[in-house]
Amino acid sequence: MTARPRLSIGLPVYNGEEYLAESFDALLGQTYGDFELVVSDNASTDGTQDICREYAGKDSRIRYLRLPRNIGAAPNHNRVFAECRGELFKWASHDDLYARDLLRRCVEALDERPEVILAHADQAVIDEEGRVKVPYAYGLATASPSAPVRFRSMLFEPGGDDFYGVMRADVLRRVKPHDSYHHADRTFVAEIGLNGPFHQVPELLYFRRDHPTRAERANPSKRSRCVNLDPRRAGPLHPTPRLLAEYVWGFVAAIRRAPLSAADRRACYRHLAEWAASRARPGAGERVEDRAPVDPDKLTVSVDELVAGREGRAGRTA
């Protein structure tokens, strides 16, 4: 593949054999095809390498890279972005599913709205089999023209997963790379949001899989999650209080780096102080995937109808 693609998709993976082929099928079956798919295998020890080589042999849009050792999830995420060439960029997860029109609708949204720097779509949490557990409406005010309003919403509202949206690569290069302290993904997305508004496509097109081997489930403690993000976090130099302090400082540093007016910067600091005080209240830090599952008989959406590669499962309501 010699032509420069419009969109680059970065897929970091470690021991993803259980769901990786499904994710490949969903991405390669998109109605928007002007993309490259850069896969960085973090020294997997299962069948991930074989699956990647098989798919790369069938589709020239895939570029497969394999690391000689596990560098951690955060450096691997940064690596796939550094390897990508498109003017637009999206991270993909090896265990999630994507409706056929996801990329097309997000790229169209960015083309129609020059001020928007990230586009994503409505989403639902699915289980191991791809059945919808928790569909939920996007409640964040990230479309606001006001940076402090966007920032406050990202601090206080649960859900979103804008980390997996389609972004303008030049904006992504302005922010600090993804770090590995507790909830570093939240400070990372917040800094992106301080650079411009997002757009949420009002269609259910993204399905985030929740399963026992998902990184957050398999690493229940703050320490273990951070070590998964970067093995250098192991050891006495990175106690939990330091990881939490870095989390709060990550927001402070994002505000300092962002292209804000003095008034907007002060407003963001006030929101951050209010958020820090609120963390001691009951119910703080709600996770969407922990909400009560919906009654499957009341669902009208079928993952099997929306996602490429699942045609053979037609007839099963998800």
Side-chain angles (χ1 to χ4, degrees), residues 238-278:
H238 298 273
T240 299
R242 172 179 173 174
L243 299 173
L244 293 171
E246 287 188 68
Y247 174 34
V248 176
W249 179 252
F251 285 122
V252 174
I255 297 169
R256 294 177 63 182
R257 286 189 296 265
L260 302 172
S261 68
D264 281 353
R265 206 177 306 277
R266 288 193 297 270
C268 288
Y269 283 134
R270 287 195 299 271
H271 295 324
L272 182 60
E274 182 185 354
W275 168 82
S278 76

Side-chain angles (χ1 to χ4, degrees), residues 18-55:
E18 187 173 5
Y19 303 112
L20 181 58
E22 289 185 56
S23 183
F24 276 151
D25 288 339
L27 290 168
L28 298 174
Q30 292 287 305
T31 55
Y32 181 88
D34 186 13
F35 65 83
E36 65 175 346
L37 176 55
V38 179
V39 182
S40 180
D41 179 356
N42 210 352
S44 294
T45 58
D46 64 356
T48 293
Q49 179 174 193
D50 294 336
I51 296 170
C52 290
R53 293 195 184 281
E54 176 188 351
Y55 275 84

Side-chain angles (χ1 to χ4, degrees), residues 58-134:
K58 296 186 294 187
D59 197 312
S60 62
R61 291 175 295 179
I62 297 178
R63 182 152 49 102
Y64 174 60
L65 311 171
R66 179 173 171 84
L67 290 162
R69 62 180 179 85
N70 188 328
I71 62 174
N76 203 24
H77 275 74
N78 293 331
R79 181 175 190 249
V80 289
F81 175 59
E83 290 284 346
C84 288
R85 303 174 294 159
E87 65 175 277
L88 303 175
F89 177 77
K90 169 182 170 53
W91 272 294
S93 177
H94 76 277
D95 49 4
D96 291 343
L97 293 176
Y98 315 89
R100 293 178 184 85
D101 290 337
L102 174 65
L103 297 183
R104 179 177 62 83
R105 297 289 285 117
C106 289
V107 172
E108 288 175 350
L110 291 170
D111 287 344
E112 294 167 2
R113 301 167 177 82
E115 76 283 2
V116 168
I117 63 172
L118 182 152
H120 205 355
D122 288 346
Q123 62 179 283
V125 176
I126 58 175
D127 65 13
E128 298 96 319
E129 299 300 321
R131 295 182 293 257
V132 171
K133 292 174 57 180
V134 185

Side-chain angles (χ1 to χ4, degrees), residues 130-144:
R131 295 182 293 257
V132 171
K133 292 174 57 180
V134 185
Y136 58 97
Y138 187 86
L140 280 70
T142 52
S144 171

